[in-house]
Amino acid sequence: NVVVFFLKGNKKITWNDNKTHTFLEIFVSEQEEENWKEALLSKEGKERLIDKFEQATGYKLVCKKIKNHYDSLKTWYTAYKRLSKKNGVHVNQTTNEIEMDSEWWDDRSNEIPEASHIRNKPLQDLDLLEKIFSDAYIGTEDGWAVGNGPDGYVQAEEHVNDTQTEGDDQESFFSETQNN
């Protein structure tokens, strides 16, 4: 599960934990400096990420490779969040590794293709990934239901139904009451 990219001058980069950590730290710092728009880095933010990454690692990224690595990290983060929210899942609070038996992992790999990547290579730097991607995921646990379209990336919003019956002192979080 090693990801290799070609860089300017055909120099290869193999993404490992250290390079990914550096990439994420720089990405977050650019977000914090507001060098981004609509969840992606601005042109200036990308240029600064390229320069800072080259200074830190000696590798000069090209914009397409930044997007490819960003997309891979987002896919793995989303898969991790889906897996870790399953009922009965044990997540090691120190390593953030999902600790389940082989049968569970085999079932999840059939359901979520990226599960095998998460099983073989637990996510590192979850705190940085959360800063970048935490508001970009919604799934069944967050209100998605069959018929709403594919599970995927949307800006999460809270929806509160303001209909109340007499005597209720709290807002309802259910859109309808079903009668059987």
Side-chain angles (χ1 to χ4, degrees), residues 106-117:
D106 292 342
D107 291 344
R108 296 302 76 76
S109 294
N110 290 332
E111 177 186 339
I112 303 169
E114 296 82 9
S116 59
H117 176 85

Side-chain angles (χ1 to χ4, degrees), residues 28-52:
V28 167
S29 75
E30 290 303 310
Q31 279 187 322
E32 289 171 352
E33 292 181 29
E34 299 188 11
N35 289 324
W36 61 281
K37 61 182 182 180
E38 299 178 23
L40 298 173
L41 290 177
S42 65
K43 182 178 179 181
E44 179 184 339
K46 288 177 190 172
E47 289 170 357
R48 290 170 52 124
L49 182 133
I50 290 167
D51 291 341
K52 289 178 181 180

